Amino acid sequence: MTTLKKLLSTYNLGNLTLKNRAVVAPMTRISAEMNGNATDRMARYYESYAAGGFGLVITEGTYTDEEYSQGFSFQPGIANVGHVEAWKQVTEAVHAKGGKIIMQIAHTGALSHYPKGTVAPSAVKPIGELSPAFGAEGEYATPKELTLEEIKAIIASMAEAALRAERAGFDGVEIHAASGYLLDEFLTDFTNLRQDEYGGSTENRVRFVTEVIRAVKEKVSQRFVVGVRISQAKSNHFTHKWANGEEDARIIFGAIGAEKPDYIHTVEYNAHAPAFGDSGSTLAELAKKYGNTTVIANGQLDQPEDAERALEAGSDLISLGKAALANHDWVFKAEKGLPMESALENILGPTPNLKDQELYGYAK
């Protein structure tokens, strides 16, 4: 068996000392109360990953304001004082088991399934259809184009949400700039048709992401970890790639890295595959090259040997979705060389499609 020297070693992430390099990836769930409050069931769920040996747990995407950020019913929020109090049972449970926990803060943008309406950088109707898994069917609505004033308000609201997460006892936040949600919609050329400072060139389109990172870092304490999640694929467009290849990666990761986040979390269907074409660097390697910060790699690293190989290739941490879902004790199994259960086969049957894989964790 491959020696798991890197995987099982400690790592300093900002002011956090992680006992190993294994991270539970954020996975979309429908388990909060209707008002967005976290529940005791959620506390037990996240606690079990800490008890199973994971060095770090990242929560499901959590909505940040009570306007348009919510994606679907029963999604947890961090938009008010009640949400703060409800999340404390989760953070306390994880910490009691010796774990660290980061909240993913998310604005769903045009992909929201919530009936309140949707907003986006431009009034571009999303491709694909709403998912019955989130309580809606049919085509997506055409979103309302955000004004400059509304953009600034969302940036401020995400910073306030991060501060509330800190007050709830979290060790950090992960800013969700992946999967086709609002921040990624600004990054994407065909969903961002703006002609102002937030549209046009890649340098302009990444501006919203960098301004959110900056606002969050200015709002929270220095000890609080701030990361950002990036993907090319979207929940409604699994095969999307950045139009300008590595040049886009250089601009995007360079701009994000300049804001000095504690980490960049890259998401690909296969973390070992080239980011563009049939050869070349992976997305995680490009994030490391241009972002100059800690990199968490995600994508088909289910077996400890694959995770170790990603770490040897330059990633600092690896995150698991479906493998963690089936093996809350994945780290302990890795240490002892025990076989892993398959989440997709257990939950979905033997032949899950790509969309099912997306739903159960690889890009959310």
Side-chain angles (χ1 to χ4, degrees):
M1 188 182 77
T2 302
T3 301
L4 306 177
K5 184 176 180 180
K6 283 186 175 289
L7 178 65
L8 300 178
S9 64
T10 61
Y11 186 78
N12 293 325
L13 178 63
N15 289 313
L16 299 179
T17 298
L18 306 182
K19 57 189 175 183
N20 55 59
R21 310 292 185 97
V23 179
V24 177
M27 289 179 278
T28 298
R29 308 177 72 241
I30 307 173
S31 56
E33 295 180 2
M34 179 61 87
N35 62 6
N37 282 348
T39 64
D40 176 71
R41 180 184 175 191
M42 291 168 64
R44 302 289 76 77
Y45 170 79
Y46 287 116
E47 175 189 47
S48 68
Y49 288 118
F54 281 93
L56 177 65
V57 177
I58 306 175
T59 74
E60 63 216 88
T62 304
Y63 67 85
T64 53
D65 63 53
E66 295 176 296
E67 295 298 321
Y68 297 105
S69 65
Q70 186 170 357
F72 43 86
S73 297
F74 301 105
Q75 179 186 11
I78 190 65
N80 56 50
V81 173
H83 291 158
V84 172
E85 293 304 311
W87 274 111
K88 287 180 179 178
Q89 64 188 311
V90 178
T91 58
E92 290 169 0
V94 170
H95 290 151
K97 296 296 184 181
K100 307 294 184 185
I101 184 166
I102 284 175
M103 172 184 280
Q104 187 187 74
I105 55 175
H107 192 304
T108 315
L111 298 189
S112 176
H113 287 55
Y114 208 58
K116 202 168 191 177
T118 58
V119 294
S122 302
V124 177
K125 183 178 180 178
I127 62 175
E129 294 185 345
L130 297 159
S131 172
F134 297 133
E137 296 184 71
E139 297 181 349
Y140 284 100
T142 299
K144 182 180 96 65
E145 181 173 314
L146 290 163
T147 65
L148 287 174
E149 183 179 352
E150 289 169 332
I151 288 172
K152 300 300 184 184
I154 290 173
I155 292 170
S157 72
M158 295 195 78
E160 290 293 338
L163 180 60
R164 284 190 287 270
E166 185 171 20
R167 290 171 176 166
F170 283 91
D171 299 299
V173 291
E174 176 174 283
I175 298 164
H176 197 345
S179 303
Y181 293 164
L182 183 66
L183 277 70
D184 189 33
E185 289 162 13
F186 272 85
L187 273 177
T188 304
D189 50 9
F190 63 84
T191 56
N192 183 348
L193 307 181
R194 301 180 73 92
Q195 300 298 312
D196 58 16
E197 63 265 37
Y198 292 99
S201 66
T202 306
E203 289 87 348
N204 279 357
R205 286 185 278 110
V206 74
R207 188 187 308 276
F208 184 51
V209 178
T210 59
E211 289 186 355
V212 170
I213 297 170
R214 190 179 313 148
V216 167
K217 285 176 63 69
E218 289 174 352
K219 182 65 66 171
V220 300
S221 68
Q222 289 188 343
R223 54 164 283 279
F224 198 63
V225 169
V226 176
V228 59
R229 198 175 211 216
I230 294 288
S231 71
Q232 297 191 86
K234 307 173 189 312
S235 62
N236 63 330
H237 189 349
F238 305 114
T239 59
H240 175 261
K241 298 288 185 181
W242 293 333
N244 299 313
E246 185 167 342
E247 177 61 13
D248 274 349
R250 181 188 68 80
I251 295 168
I252 290 168
F253 291 131
I256 289 172
E259 298 300 328
K260 301 189 182 305
D262 292 294
Y263 70 83
I264 297 173
H265 189 175
T266 60
V267 187
E268 290 273 77
Y269 178 64
N270 181 352
H272 289 301
F276 309 104
D278 297 326
S279 62
S281 301
T282 67
L283 194 65
E285 288 167 350
L286 292 171
K288 193 70 179 177
K289 179 179 180 180
Y290 297 117
N292 194 32
T293 189
T294 292
V295 170
I296 306 176
N298 174 276
Q300 292 195 23
L301 303 176
D302 300 357
Q303 295 302 318
E305 294 79 7
D306 292 326
E308 183 72 13
R309 187 156 60 95
L311 294 169
E312 290 175 348
S315 294
D316 302 291
L317 302 165
I318 61 93
S319 73
L320 304 172
K322 59 183 182 290
L325 189 63
N327 304 275
H328 288 217
D329 57 349
W330 188 92
V331 174
F332 291 153
K333 287 180 176 177
E335 289 175 336
K336 297 175 183 178
L338 299 175
M340 302 292 177
E341 299 292 335
S342 169
L344 291 178
E345 289 184 5
N346 290 345
I347 296 168
L348 302 167
T351 57
N353 61 34
L354 186 58
K355 193 167 186 179
D356 290 328
Q357 295 183 43
E358 208 287 334
L359 176 61
Y360 281 94
Y362 97 86
K364 276 203 169 71

